[in-house]
Amino acid sequence: DTGSMLQPRLLRRPELRDGDVTFMEVYGPVEADALDAIRAHIAACLPHFPVLSSATRHTEHFIGLSCA
């Protein structure tokens, strides 16, 4: 059953940074009952990565790739 599998998508920043394209790989959708378990796992792991725990949050914009 592939209905419960995460579907990968490849996104990119709409602009170049230092002449380079930046890509981001994302997976989803995630079923609501699995999301709580994923959040709990991340919360349990964060203390082991202090740089991630204290990193400043920011928003970035990525768009889907067009194969046309």
Side-chain angles (χ1 to χ4, degrees), residues 1 3-5 9-10 12 14 16 21 24 27 32 34-35 38 41 43-45 47-48 53 59-62:
D1 173 29
S4 61
M5 295 177 63
R9 292 186 302 140
L10 187 60
R12 68 171 178 84
L16 297 178
V21 177
M24 178 172 59
Y27 295 87
L35 195 54
I38 292 168
H41 181 73
C45 291
H48 301 285
S53 298
T59 301
E60 295 192 51
H61 178 72
F62 285 79

Side-chain angles (χ1 to χ4, degrees), residues 42-58:
I42 291 170
C45 291
L46 277 178
H48 301 285
F49 300 94
V51 171
L52 295 177
S53 298
S54 63
T56 302
R57 302 291 182 218
H58 62 276

Side-chain angles (χ1 to χ4, degrees), residues 2-9 26-35 38:
T2 59
S4 61
M5 295 177 63
L6 295 177
Q7 301 298 314
R9 292 186 302 140
V26 296
Y27 295 87
V30 177
E31 295 178 17
D33 58 340
L35 195 54
I38 292 168

